[in-house]
Amino acid sequence: MGADISPFLLLDYAGPAEFEPSDSPRGVERHPHRGFETVTIVYQGEVEHGDNAGHSGKIGPGDVQWMTAGRGILHVEKHGREFSRRGGTLEMIQLWVNLPAKHKMAEPRYQEILDRNIPVAALDNGAGEVRVIAGEYDGTRGAARTFTPVNVWDARLRGGKKIDFALPEGFNASILVLKGGVLVNGAEEIRERELAFFTQEGDAVTIESAEDSTLLILSGEPIDEPIAGQGPFVMNTPEEIRRAIDDYRTGKF
Ligand code: MN
């Protein structure tokens, strides 16, 4: 966790990994969260979710789940039942997006954003496309509702193309290469499974793709507040963390 990735707290890239058929779906049993949002992006396979605020759903390739833990949620995250029975490849990303102090105790919310509802912007010169999961890309508004300005772009670039991505001034930005490889600003090579961070100066990055590439491009307005994090709770002060643990233990979630 650091000021230079705010409002993002964590990025977990799982897979691609092969799973044998199984009658009991793998995953994480019921656990709590408070004070931030979890965003799950599925590339391959299926993920099922269920929480104590009454939301549940199954998402597959191209789908996204944007969950606001807010004042507290208990949820289960597992491989889809059907997917488990068949076995196969799972590839997914989970992001943790921080909430500003005034929204940390917001009502829990669940946005199931299906592939078909995610706006797609074509890149110039047939260079590929950007699925705008959140925020905005070149006039195309993203699908997710967010509490602070956040851009989540799933970009697919064709090999041998060059693109200028405009990043809003003052935003932190990072690029994860899921597949392929790119050269940034003519200097920095980012290879498969590598993550690169950008400073808040300079409002454009030039990306050249040596081959067909899949990128996750994240940017957002930093939340300039103290962070106190412990396990599944991310608050502003140690006192609020103690309260979260206490509330969880006494069944107030
Ligand atoms: Mn979780």
Side-chain angles (χ1 to χ4, degrees), residues 31 33 38 75 77 94:
H31 60 280
H33 292 292
T38 65
H75 75 160
E77 299 169 276
Q94 187 165 88

Side-chain angles (χ1 to χ4, degrees), residues 87-203:
T89 307
L90 186 79
E91 181 179 13
M92 57 165 271
I93 282 177
Q94 187 165 88
L95 302 170
W96 286 14
V97 181
N98 204 3
L99 289 170
K102 64 177 176 188
H103 294 305
K104 281 194 176 290
M105 297 298 274
E107 200 65 25
R109 184 164 84 182
Y110 177 73
Q111 300 175 72
E112 186 177 86
I113 305 167
L114 300 179
D115 182 31
R116 64 172 179 273
N117 297 325
I118 297 177
V120 180
L123 296 170
D124 292 341
N125 306 320
E129 60 183 38
V130 171
R131 299 170 68 238
V132 189
I133 294 169
E136 193 237 314
Y137 175 80
D138 198 21
T140 300
R141 301 284 313 167
R145 288 163 66 202
T146 67
F147 285 85
T148 61
V150 173
N151 295 304
V152 178
W153 300 335
D154 172 10
R156 315 289 167 125
L157 302 189
R158 284 192 210 294
K161 297 286 186 178
K162 191 173 182 174
I163 288 290
D164 289 322
F165 281 96
L167 299 172
E169 188 75 42
F171 279 31
N172 286 322
S174 54
I175 296 178
L176 172 70
V177 175
L178 289 95
K179 200 161 143 285
V182 296
L183 185 67
V184 177
N185 295 335
E188 189 184 357
E189 209 178 317
I190 317 178
R191 286 168 299 189
E192 204 159 276
R193 306 189 70 82
E194 286 183 350
L195 179 65
F197 298 95
F198 299 90
T199 58
Q200 296 169 30
E201 300 116 43
D203 54 358

